[in-house]
């Protein structure tokens, strides 16, 4: 968790405090509905761990210009995004009853950002 934090801090040139993380497995027909995250997810990372899909399953983002862009990652790849600012989603996953997609979400707040009071938050704490 802290190794990811260090890499993200280097990438965005900001000091971060962790809030929480969790891993998720998606299965056939599951999706991530379009949403923006809560304040504990000011800076979010989606790390693609593994999958057995025969296609690239994208995560989608709304851009500041209003465009909708898909991003396909390979196992070991991660995407850093502003969870509270950028709407993001995944369309229903295709496949059969054995299909899966595994990822880990890491969430942080910026030391000098507006959500610092959410540092060291927990996923079920509101």
């Amino acid at each position: 968790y802290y190794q990811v934090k260090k890499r993200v801090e280097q990438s965005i040139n900001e000091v971060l405090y962790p809030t929480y993380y969790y891993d998720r497995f998606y299965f056939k027909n599951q999706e991530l509905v379009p949403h923006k995250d809560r304040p504990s997810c000011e800076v979010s990372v989606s790390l693609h761990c593994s999958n057995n899909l025969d296609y690239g399953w994208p995560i989608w983002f709304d851009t500041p210009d209003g465009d909708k862009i898909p991003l396909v990652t390979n196992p070991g790849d991660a995407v850093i995004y502003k969870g509270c600012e950028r709407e993001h989603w995944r369309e229903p996953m295709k496949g059969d009853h054995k299909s899966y997609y595994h990822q880990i979400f890491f969430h942080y707040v910026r030391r000098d950002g507006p959500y610092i009071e959410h540092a060291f938050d927990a996923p079920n704490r509101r």
Side-chain angles (χ1 to χ4, degrees), residues 66-77:
D67 294 330
K68 298 176 184 331
I69 59 165
L71 180 63
V72 174
T73 57
N74 295 310
D77 291 345

Side-chain angles (χ1 to χ4, degrees), residues 26-94:
Y26 290 91
F27 300 101
K28 181 183 177 186
N29 295 325
Q30 290 185 327
E31 65 185 309
L32 181 64
V33 298
H35 70 285
K36 292 181 184 176
D37 294 324
R38 64 193 184 95
S40 296
C41 309
E42 180 181 17
V43 177
S44 295
V45 176
S46 177
L47 173 65
H48 181 169
C49 298
S50 64
N51 76 82
N52 65 355
L53 303 177
D54 60 3
Y55 72 102
W57 188 44
I59 184 168
W60 289 82
F61 294 96
D62 275 342
T63 69
D65 298 330
D67 294 330
K68 298 176 184 331
I69 59 165
L71 180 63
V72 174
T73 57
N74 295 310
D77 291 345
V79 58
I80 303 167
Y81 57 98
K82 296 177 177 180
C84 301
E85 292 181 29
R86 300 275 61 88
E87 190 166 64
H88 51 286
W89 66 95
R90 289 185 184 272
E91 295 176 348
M93 193 182 85
K94 300 174 190 167

Side-chain angles (χ1 to χ4, degrees), residues 87-120:
E87 190 166 64
H88 51 286
W89 66 95
R90 289 185 184 272
E91 295 176 348
M93 193 182 85
K94 300 174 190 167
D96 61 25
H97 69 284
K98 294 180 183 177
S99 299
Y100 78 90
Y101 186 100
H102 180 206
Q103 73 177 65
I104 302 175
F105 296 99
F106 298 94
H107 301 291
Y108 306 95
V109 291
R110 295 179 301 129
R111 178 188 64 192
D112 299 322
Y115 304 115
I116 188 63
E117 72 273 9
H118 295 278
F120 306 103

